[in-house]
Amino acid sequence: MLWYDGCVGKLRQMGIPLAYIRWIKAWLENREGYIEINDKKSMWFSIGKGGPQGGILTPTVFITYHADMPDFLSWCSSHFFADDLTAILAGQIGVKYTQQCLDLEKKLKLFFDQLEYYSRLTVQPINYSKTEGILGKRSARAIGSAPFEIESGENKINWIKEFKYLGYWISSKLGWSKMIKKSMLKIR
């Protein structure tokens, strides 16, 4: 959902040469598409956001468009690949477990408030159906579910025990065993 005018403005601020900006703008704008289901095609319609699906330049333009995201989330580690964002937040060390949980809950609330603010500025909606949280076992002594709920506005964020990111399986134990087991199954 790349916002064209916002993208062009950010490219200008970055000092990208005007000839490149014009080329990228022409490449993004005036596109049309149709939907085909079971050999039946819809009428052609204009596409006003996003980059060409599967286009070689689309991920690069998208990442460039969001190059300022760390300015909004500077207090956590964030990793961006194409249209996926992973953020890592750490709780306090050396304090009681309950205090760690309270601190982490506050940080998560701040994170989602700032992420929501950024998403509105950039006209980039958050896909809450794909948004999940994982609590590292090193920071959580409790086995089972997380000790608190995560919400962003009206959206409840689900806690999970593992997820796949860029081909790697990450579990709440923050180890490599899941990845090694899955790789061994593929090899067999």
Side-chain angles (χ1 to χ4, degrees):
M1 301 280 302
L2 190 65
W3 174 39
Y4 300 153
D5 291 338
C7 181
V8 168
K10 285 186 177 187
L11 293 174
R12 281 190 180 126
Q13 285 180 336
M14 291 176 169
I16 305 294
L18 192 56
Y20 294 146
I21 293 172
R22 286 184 186 141
W23 183 84
I24 291 169
K25 185 175 180 181
W27 176 74
L28 288 170
E29 292 181 336
N30 301 320
R31 292 182 303 116
E32 293 183 330
Y34 63 87
I35 298 172
E36 182 176 348
I37 300 174
N38 295 329
D39 296 327
K40 296 190 188 237
K41 295 179 183 176
S42 71
M43 294 177 59
W44 285 86
F45 54 87
S46 294
I47 300 173
K49 290 183 178 180
Q53 187 72 24
I56 195 165
L57 188 59
T58 304
T60 304
V61 170
F62 192 82
I63 290 170
T64 304
Y65 177 65
H66 290 294
D68 61 346
M69 186 182 281
D71 297 341
F72 290 82
L73 305 172
S74 60
W75 49 272
C76 70
S77 175
S78 59
H79 308 277
F80 208 30
F81 181 78
D83 63 348
D84 288 332
L85 170 69
T86 297
I88 302 169
L89 288 81
Q92 290 181 357
I93 298 174
V95 297
K96 290 183 180 180
Y97 176 69
T98 53
Q99 187 61 36
Q100 286 179 3
C101 291
L102 289 171
D103 177 58
L104 193 55
E105 190 174 12
K106 285 179 192 174
K107 285 180 179 179
L108 284 166
K109 172 80 173 110
L110 178 62
F111 169 79
F112 280 110
D113 286 349
Q114 289 179 333
L115 184 62
E116 184 71 32
Y117 177 71
Y118 177 81
S119 75
R120 289 181 186 196
L121 282 178
T122 59
V123 191
Q124 182 66 55
I126 299 169
N127 186 347
Y128 285 105
S129 67
K130 293 172 77 178
T131 304
E132 300 169 322
I134 189 166
L135 190 62
K137 203 135 193 179
R138 301 252 183 242
S139 63
R141 292 183 226 153
I143 298 172
S145 63
F148 54 88
E149 300 284 324
I150 314 173
E151 291 182 357
S152 179
E154 301 292 320
N155 303 287
K156 182 181 177 198
I157 311 300
N158 293 320
W159 287 105
I160 56 172
K161 294 183 189 263
E162 64 184 25
F163 70 97
K164 188 175 182 181
Y165 185 68
L166 301 178
Y168 294 96
W169 281 94
I170 300 169
S171 71
S172 60
K173 292 182 181 180
L174 303 176
W176 292 98
S177 62
K178 186 77 170 182
M179 184 70 190
I180 292 169
K181 286 178 187 175
K182 293 214 181 258
S183 296
M184 289 175 69
L185 283 175
K186 280 184 182 179
I187 292 168
R188 287 183 190 156

